[in-house]
Amino acid sequence: MHRLRFPAATLFLGLAGLSGFAALAQHNHEDPPAYLAKTELQGPAHFMVMTSFVLPELQSELGLSAAQVIQLQILKNEMLAKAKTLSGQIAARRKELDTLLAPGTSKGDLVRKLFEQIGSLKGEQMFTGYQTAIKMKAALTDAQRAKFAAMKPQEFHQAMTSLVSVSDRMEMMQFMGEDVMTEGMAGTPALKLR
């Protein structure tokens, strides 16, 4: 019975994520549709971050000019630089937290404060991805924005897997808070099991 729960839950979450992509693809506004935000916050948030990684790669699909591609890459690189700074701060807070959680220590208020700081830094990192996606969409023409908004979830996923490099996909997963390790065979990312 337990063996069936994990695949079923994985399938459900995957379908929920795809429905989030479909709803966002039909919605041509900065914010996710209200009904989607209430039902599946992670879907739209992850979609916005993925947009920041995928849009610069859609040159032929959207008819992006060379100048637009450069502008989108610059925005992406600025986002990644800020994310690197935030990741460093998160790592420092986690190290402090590990020290406080060592056996023989009891510092409840400090532990709470560090958890709050880590949560705040992660939130800022996701908001940076959101802001970057908004700026990237603003760099598109109306026709390009409409074409992007009309992309089906399968097309978006295909673009992500075929156009975005493995290293960028790993960076995207780390940006979204996924724990990845690069010790997989032939550079293939492997999820860290806890």
Side-chain angles (χ1 to χ4, degrees), residues 50-107:
M50 286 188 277
T51 295
S52 302
F53 284 86
V54 175
L55 262 178
E57 308 302 327
L58 296 176
Q59 184 171 9
S60 61
E61 291 77 4
L62 298 180
L64 301 175
S65 69
Q68 284 177 307
V69 171
I70 290 169
Q71 183 180 6
L72 295 177
Q73 286 290 353
I74 289 170
L75 288 169
K76 177 182 155 192
N77 290 338
E78 288 172 353
M79 175 189 74
L80 291 174
K82 185 170 183 179
K84 186 176 181 179
T85 300
L86 291 169
S87 292
Q89 292 173 2
I90 291 168
R93 297 304 176 279
R94 283 186 176 162
K95 190 173 181 177
E96 287 179 56
L97 187 60
D98 289 345
T99 303
L100 287 175
L101 295 176
T105 61
S106 178
K107 312 226 179 351

Side-chain angles (χ1 to χ4, degrees), residues 45-164:
H46 282 150
F47 177 79
M48 292 303 282
V49 172
M50 286 188 277
T51 295
S52 302
F53 284 86
V54 175
L55 262 178
E57 308 302 327
L58 296 176
Q59 184 171 9
S60 61
E61 291 77 4
L62 298 180
L64 301 175
S65 69
Q68 284 177 307
V69 171
I70 290 169
Q71 183 180 6
L72 295 177
Q73 286 290 353
I74 289 170
L75 288 169
K76 177 182 155 192
N77 290 338
E78 288 172 353
M79 175 189 74
L80 291 174
K82 185 170 183 179
K84 186 176 181 179
T85 300
L86 291 169
S87 292
Q89 292 173 2
I90 291 168
R93 297 304 176 279
R94 283 186 176 162
K95 190 173 181 177
E96 287 179 56
L97 187 60
D98 289 345
T99 303
L100 287 175
L101 295 176
T105 61
S106 178
K107 312 226 179 351
D109 290 339
L110 291 174
V111 169
R112 176 188 297 272
K113 184 177 180 182
L114 285 169
F115 274 126
E116 289 171 351
Q117 288 174 355
I118 290 168
S120 177
L121 290 166
K122 284 184 175 184
E124 187 174 341
Q125 190 167 2
M126 290 300 287
F127 185 68
T128 299
Y130 169 81
Q131 285 181 311
T132 301
I134 298 304
K135 290 175 186 176
M136 285 182 169
K137 288 180 184 179
L140 304 178
T141 65
D142 289 341
Q144 290 167 337
R145 266 192 301 279
K147 199 170 188 179
F148 179 70
M151 284 182 81
K152 292 181 170 71
Q154 300 87 348
E155 294 171 325
F156 185 88
H157 180 72
Q158 177 64 31
M160 185 176 62
T161 56
S162 64
L163 301 174
V164 178

